[in-house]
């Protein structure tokens, strides 16, 4: 992680704090803490905070149990408390000791109520807000180091999916869960962590947010596979829809409509447009073909340290598209009780347009 300038990242957040009138940003274990310090251990019941003041020296307050993990972090001042001590009193004392102005504070959006309620009581005279407005605009623009990690994640996930699809008719009679387990194993081979997937067969593919179950893969059924995972802290996210055996004409027709919508959206993913323009392009194609009511989610989402981060690719989101943004393009059509089709790629925005980060073919693949 030494290649990352954490001090520079903190300075960008401080600039946003000044702009938004925030005196202190309190960051608990989360993707934002990882972004600002490289610390990736999850939270427990003990208070752990990065305290980032607009003016003054940042510090970490943590339980003494975590001293060895915290020592290497790029925050020189580290305050430790022991079990049985009141960490909130120690926090307030340290802020007073450093003469840090604190009339307004932003909270890490992922901080649990276990910590927010005592913080409210300890600092009852200050105004709290969520810190998303500080971090999202900064994190949505990736530098080349971050882009390379996402590129690698996408490349490895493509390899993982190819390894399974190349097995062809081997999958007949296997279940959604069987496919998911083997995909997880392939992700591990590619050094991808935090694996997640939704594997959907036949009519289950018509449920956009479906939990993988025990449905069998059969001839005459589609297979929708949505999968994600992290490479060195940065995510990939992709969806492909296949068909086992010759599909009915309606399925082929709808697949081509989704592909047309996907490519129309991709063409709008460039500097000078807003995120909503990408959504409108996909949605317009699907509506023109008479299937608007069956496309019932946004066209995409930002991605990076979190699989969903930053602005939505959705109508009404007028965030300008900028160089360094990474987001998904994933239109779909879902016919209840029959089948669903979704095609998802990630794109990185460059000066000359979108860089498509997945190389796995988007053409309909019929297996068997």
């Amino acid at each position: 992680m030494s290649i990352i300038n954490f001090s520079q990242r903190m300075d960008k957040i401080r600039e946003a704090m000044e702009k938004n009138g925030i005196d202190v940003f309190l960051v608990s274990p989360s993707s934002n803490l990882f972004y600002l310090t490289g610390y990736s251990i999850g939270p427990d019941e003990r208070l752990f905070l990065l305290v980032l003041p607009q003016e003054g020296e940042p510090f970490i307050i943590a339980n003494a149990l975590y001293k060895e993990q915290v020592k290497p972090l790029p925050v020189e001042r580290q305050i430790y408390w022991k079990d049985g001590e009141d960490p909130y009193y120690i926090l307030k004392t340290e802020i007073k000791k450093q003469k840090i102005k604190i009339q307004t504070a932003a909270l890490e959006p992922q901080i649990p109520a276990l910590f927010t309620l005592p913080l409210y009581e300890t600092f009852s005279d200050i105004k709290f807000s969520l810190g998303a407005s500080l971090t999202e605009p900064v994190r949505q623009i990736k530098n080349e180091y971050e882009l390379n990690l996402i590129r690698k994640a996408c490349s490895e996930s493509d390899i993982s999916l190819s390894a399974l699809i190349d097995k062809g008719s081997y999958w007949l009679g296997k279940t959604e869960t069987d496919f998911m387990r083997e995909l997880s194993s392939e992700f591990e081979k590619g050094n991808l962590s935090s694996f997640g997937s939704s594997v959907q067969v036949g009519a289950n593919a018509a449920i956009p947010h479906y939990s993988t179950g025990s449905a069998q893969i059969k001839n005459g059924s589609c297979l929708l596979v949505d999968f994600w995972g992290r490479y060195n802290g940065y995510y990939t996210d992709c969806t492909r829809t296949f068909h086992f055996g010759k599909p009915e004409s309606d399925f082929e027709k709808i697949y081509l409509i989704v592909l047309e919508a996907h490519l129309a959206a991709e063409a709008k993913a460039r500097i000078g447009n807003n995120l909503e323009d990408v959504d409108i392009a996909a949605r317009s194609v699907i509506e023109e073909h008479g299937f608007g009511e069956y496309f019932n989610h946004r066209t995409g989402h930002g991605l990076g340290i979190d699989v969903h981060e930053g602005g939505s690719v959705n109508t009404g989101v007028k965030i300008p598209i900028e160089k360094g943004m990474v987001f998904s393009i994933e239109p779909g059509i879902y016919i209840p009780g029959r089948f669903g089709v979704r095609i998802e790629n990630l794109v990185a925005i460059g000066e000359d347009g979108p860089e498509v980060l997945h190389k796995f073919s988007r053409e309909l693949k019929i297996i068997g």
Side-chain angles (χ1 to χ4, degrees), residues 39-340:
Y39 186 83
S40 60
I41 297 177
D44 65 9
E45 74 275 15
R46 296 176 174 89
L47 182 72
F48 184 118
L49 291 174
L50 165 67
V51 180
L52 181 62
Q54 185 190 136
E55 297 180 0
E57 184 182 4
F59 66 90
I60 286 175
I61 179 168
N63 189 274
L65 291 172
Y66 295 98
K67 190 170 185 177
E68 293 306 309
Q69 292 102 313
V70 173
K71 276 196 300 186
L73 298 185
V75 181
E76 186 173 336
R77 190 166 186 81
Q78 300 176 357
I79 309 301
Y80 297 100
W81 59 277
K82 299 177 181 178
D83 287 351
E85 295 181 323
D86 181 353
Y88 302 95
Y89 173 79
I90 294 172
L91 171 63
K92 190 171 185 177
T93 300
E94 182 64 22
I95 287 173
K96 286 183 178 179
K97 181 180 178 181
Q98 291 202 45
K99 299 180 181 179
I100 295 172
K101 172 188 172 184
I102 181 167
Q103 295 178 332
T104 59
L107 289 175
E108 158 60 42
Q110 298 177 39
I111 192 170
L114 175 66
F115 304 128
T116 56
L117 295 179
L119 285 170
Y120 290 161
E121 293 174 0
T122 303
F123 299 96
S124 58
D125 56 340
I126 74 172
K127 181 180 178 181
F128 285 95
S129 62
L130 289 178
S133 62
L134 305 177
T135 57
E136 286 187 359
V138 175
R139 282 178 51 183
Q140 74 180 358
I141 307 300
K142 276 69 178 178
N143 62 25
E144 196 63 21
Y145 174 77
E146 294 174 295
L147 290 173
N148 281 334
L149 292 177
I150 298 172
R151 289 180 182 116
K152 177 67 171 177
C154 292
S155 174
E156 291 297 337
S157 71
D158 286 350
I159 292 170
S160 297
L161 182 62
S162 294
L164 267 63
I165 295 304
D166 286 349
K167 292 185 176 183
S169 59
Y170 160 85
W171 292 108
L172 294 175
K174 303 293 192 301
T175 68
E176 296 167 334
T177 297
D178 292 332
F179 193 98
M180 184 174 70
R181 285 173 179 161
E182 291 201 31
L183 186 58
S184 176
S185 178
E186 292 296 329
F187 264 49
E188 289 179 8
K189 293 177 185 177
N191 295 314
L192 295 169
S193 62
S194 303
F195 169 79
S197 180
S198 179
V199 181
Q200 305 167 232
V201 171
N204 291 338
I207 306 170
H209 273 190
Y210 171 77
S211 295
T212 301
S214 58
Q216 285 190 331
I217 299 170
K218 300 176 181 179
N219 261 323
S221 65
C222 70
L223 173 68
L224 188 156
V225 186
D226 186 355
F227 50 98
W228 54 94
R230 299 173 86 186
Y231 181 81
N232 284 359
Y234 284 79
Y235 269 97
T236 176
D237 188 11
C238 184
T239 305
R240 288 295 185 270
T241 307
F242 307 97
H243 203 280
F244 284 81
K246 182 173 176 57
E248 57 184 297
S249 59
D250 281 356
F251 180 88
E252 290 185 283
K253 173 185 174 182
I254 285 176
Y255 192 98
L256 292 174
I257 293 169
V258 172
L259 181 56
E260 181 185 350
H262 181 100
L263 295 174
E266 183 183 299
K268 289 290 185 179
R270 55 183 59 244
I271 298 168
N273 293 329
N274 294 331
L275 288 178
E276 75 166 355
D277 296 320
V278 180
D279 180 78
I280 290 169
R283 206 164 297 281
S284 296
V285 169
I286 292 174
E287 289 174 351
E288 286 169 7
H289 285 281
F291 291 95
E293 66 180 294
Y294 301 107
F295 177 22
N296 51 17
H297 57 75
R298 62 190 176 183
T299 293
H301 55 83
L303 172 142
I305 296 171
D306 290 316
V307 71
H308 288 184
E309 69 177 38
S312 290
V313 182
N314 201 13
T315 300
V317 180
K318 300 186 184 299
I319 296 174
I321 295 173
E322 299 181 59
K323 181 181 177 181
M325 281 185 170
V326 176
F327 53 81
S328 69
I329 295 176
E330 49 182 301
I333 295 176
Y334 313 93
I335 310 299
R338 296 181 65 193
F339 56 78

Side-chain angles (χ1 to χ4, degrees), residues 342-366:
R342 182 164 69 253
I343 303 170
E344 176 185 13
N345 270 355
L346 298 182
V347 295
I349 304 303
E351 293 285 356
D352 300 321
E355 174 191 353
V356 178
L357 300 181
H358 292 280
K359 308 307 179 188
F360 197 102
S361 175
R362 288 172 283 191
E363 300 298 322
L364 174 59
K365 183 174 181 60
I366 299 171

